[in-house]
Amino acid sequence: MSERTYRVIVRGVFADLDDTRRTELLASADEHDILRAAFTEDGTLVYDRELRAFSFRCVVRQPADRADETAGDTACDRAAAALAARGIGHGALRTKVTSVDDMKVRRPRRA
């Protein structure tokens, strides 16, 4: 059975952070900024210094016969697990799913 690959961005808000979690997140904020964000199988957590919202970027591989929404559910589960591993809660999650097969690469025109 063939597979489809998706790039998924999960967005959400942090639940109330205690002082310890807030300090830990602020200490590593530079490692989690948008310029370092990559789409990986494990996922990359991105947030700003205000610690209001976050995004989680990951690659999800699914059998070709499964719906695109399933990739979003898988990504939400991964994002929730990544946050839980850091002892962080979250609010409602939203996803943006893009099939890698449907992405168009634009090459610069030659002069």
Side-chain angles (χ1 to χ4, degrees), residues 52-100:
R52 288 186 219 117
F54 64 88
S55 66
F56 182 82
R57 296 162 186 247
C58 65
V59 172
V60 176
R61 299 184 200 299
Q62 298 282 30
D65 62 340
R66 294 178 72 182
D68 293 0
E69 292 80 29
T70 306
D73 293 342
T74 300
C76 283
D77 292 344
R78 288 184 191 174
L83 291 165
R86 293 174 173 86
I88 302 168
H90 60 83
L93 301 175
R94 299 176 321 279
T95 61
K96 171 70 174 158
V97 178
T98 305
S99 172
V100 173

Side-chain angles (χ1 to χ4, degrees), residues 6-61:
Y6 300 92
R7 284 185 170 185
V8 185
I9 299 175
V10 179
R11 290 188 176 93
V13 295
F14 289 110
D16 289 336
L17 298 168
D18 62 25
D19 290 339
T20 302
R21 292 289 173 251
R22 182 171 291 285
T23 301
E24 289 171 356
L25 286 173
L26 287 173
S28 63
D30 289 340
E31 298 168 21
H32 295 275
D33 80 354
I34 192 74
L35 298 177
R36 295 178 184 231
F39 287 91
T40 64
E41 297 254 349
D42 293 333
T44 303
L45 180 63
V46 177
Y47 56 86
D48 59 18
R49 293 185 181 282
E50 285 79 36
L51 298 177
R52 288 186 219 117
F54 64 88
S55 66
F56 182 82
R57 296 162 186 247
C58 65
V59 172
V60 176
R61 299 184 200 299

